[in-house]
Amino acid sequence: MNGGDIRNQTQPAAELQAVGVLVGGRWILRDVNLAIPAGKCCAVIGPNGCGKSTLARVLAGYVWASAGRVRILGETLGETDLHLLRRRVKLVQPNAPVDFDPSMSAGDVVLTGVFGTVVLFDQPTDSDRDLARELMRRMGVGRLAESAFGTLSTGEKMRTLIARAMMVEPALLLLDEPAAGLDPAGRVQFRVLLNALRAQGKALIVSSHILADMGEYCSHIAIMGHGRLLRFGTVQQIAAGLDGDLVEYAIGLSRPVPRIEEELAEIDGLSLVRCDGNNVVVRYSPGRDAATTLLKTLVQRGLPVSSFSAVGANLEAAYLREGIRQVD
């Protein structure tokens, strides 16, 4: 496992093949097949008890799969050095019991991330200290370096723990229920933080049962229920309820167009969803280039386009389509 930036790697950041976890005679995970692209952010969503946290711990090497195979950054778990794995993959669980004394200063907590141990070495190097200060600054908690960890707010603790995990420049960061307990302002800061980590080339897997704002920082969504993977795809695919590489576009017309259905049917790769007077919704390829091509084609055909936009992601509706009742 090489390097902390995996943007140029072709293999998935994480891959599960028919993975199951059996605990006390009950399958906590069953037949999970999932591949997370490198350099992306995937949200694993579902109700409490659906297996999200277990999935995160399997990927971090803290829980062994009872069935199937797990590959992380191209390496199969069980065939690679576990110590090396835990330097390249970091699991952050803000609500889990901490493995250090909460009376420690936040700065010292971050420094423990260098050694991968609950014991803080007596003599961390100057470069270790410089890196810890820089990471805390990036995470927005630099001013709290001397504060006792136990006195920090939920959001401050989360940012401190992420800074701790980043001390070894992990390629894959697993965040288990990181937004739980955050107020609206904290959730906004959390979105900014995740987008900053993605910009650094980190692969992120965020397990949560909170849907708000996920479309703004995630590239992929995995929906889980009763230990099984129910749906997986890009945010656009999941939100639109599509299985293929299509998304929906809303087109506003300045005036009615006779035989608009026939006109649109002549555009390659486009399918009509509905037409309600001057408002039309179609399915077409995702991405800015595809959107530009579609808009150009509509204008070239003489259609009086007054508005054009991709249909916003509605993850809650997608979640409810799976028959899952619990939504926060």
Side-chain angles (χ1 to χ4, degrees), residues 199-218:
Q200 296 174 31
K202 306 300 178 188
L204 304 169
I205 299 178
V206 182
S207 63
S208 180
H209 64 291
I210 299 175
L211 303 183
D213 306 325
M214 278 190 173
E216 297 188 25
Y217 62 77
C218 292

Side-chain angles (χ1 to χ4, degrees), residues 2-210:
N2 298 315
D5 188 332
I6 58 175
R7 281 175 288 193
N8 297 322
Q9 295 186 8
T10 57
Q11 76 268 11
E15 186 175 10
L16 296 92
Q17 300 172 347
V19 167
V21 173
L22 184 65
V23 178
R26 184 169 75 92
W27 288 97
I28 306 301
L29 294 179
R30 185 189 292 271
D31 196 30
V32 175
N33 293 280
L34 182 65
I36 308 299
K40 302 294 184 180
C41 178
C42 176
V44 181
I45 62 177
N48 291 331
C50 73
K52 301 185 304 295
S53 294
T54 299
L55 178 64
R57 292 181 67 80
V58 166
L59 291 170
Y62 290 106
V63 171
W64 291 106
S66 308
R69 186 173 75 158
V70 181
R71 291 177 61 81
I72 303 295
L73 307 174
E75 301 283 348
T76 300
L77 292 195
E79 298 177 3
T80 188
D81 184 286
L82 192 58
H83 176 71
L84 181 60
L85 167 73
R86 289 181 178 164
R87 291 184 66 85
R88 306 274 29 93
V89 179
K90 284 295 182 180
L91 171 62
V92 179
Q93 297 178 293
N95 293 322
V98 296
D99 58 353
F100 51 83
D101 184 349
S103 67
M104 288 175 62
S105 71
D108 282 348
V109 168
V110 172
L111 277 171
T112 65
V114 173
F115 310 108
T117 176
V118 299
V119 178
L120 180 63
F121 282 22
D122 290 335
Q123 298 296 327
T125 67
D126 289 341
S127 60
D128 291 336
R129 293 187 181 281
D130 289 344
L131 178 58
R133 282 193 291 267
E134 173 61 17
L135 289 171
M136 293 189 74
R137 184 192 66 78
R138 289 186 202 170
M139 298 298 116
V141 289
R143 71 189 187 286
L144 302 173
E146 302 303 321
S147 300
F149 179 85
T151 66
L152 306 184
S153 69
T154 299
E156 291 166 348
K157 288 178 179 177
M158 179 194 71
R159 288 168 175 266
T160 299
L161 291 175
I162 292 177
R164 181 196 193 204
M166 295 289 287
M167 286 294 289
V168 290
E169 286 294 317
L172 175 61
L173 192 60
L174 306 167
L175 304 177
D176 185 22
E177 299 288 359
L182 295 183
D183 59 21
R187 290 188 186 179
V188 171
Q189 294 172 344
F190 177 64
R191 292 204 309 268
V192 173
L193 172 60
L194 290 196
N195 284 325
L197 291 173
R198 283 189 63 188
Q200 296 174 31
K202 306 300 178 188
L204 304 169
I205 299 178
V206 182
S207 63
S208 180
H209 64 291
I210 299 175

Side-chain angles (χ1 to χ4, degrees), residues 247-312:
V247 295
E248 292 188 353
Y249 295 89
I251 304 166
L253 304 175
S254 61
R255 56 177 171 78
V257 176
R259 299 185 298 277
I260 181 65
E261 293 88 350
E262 298 175 16
E263 186 79 29
L264 294 174
E266 295 180 3
I267 299 177
D268 290 340
L270 182 146
S271 58
L272 178 64
V273 175
R274 61 182 177 274
C275 181
D276 180 15
N278 294 355
N279 298 310
V280 180
V281 176
V282 301
R283 286 176 181 163
Y284 195 69
S285 300
R288 292 184 179 181
D289 291 342
T292 300
T293 299
L294 176 57
L295 179 58
K296 181 178 179 180
T297 301
L298 295 171
V299 173
Q300 287 176 339
R301 285 181 167 272
L303 296 177
V305 178
S306 60
S307 64
F308 177 88
S309 63
V311 175

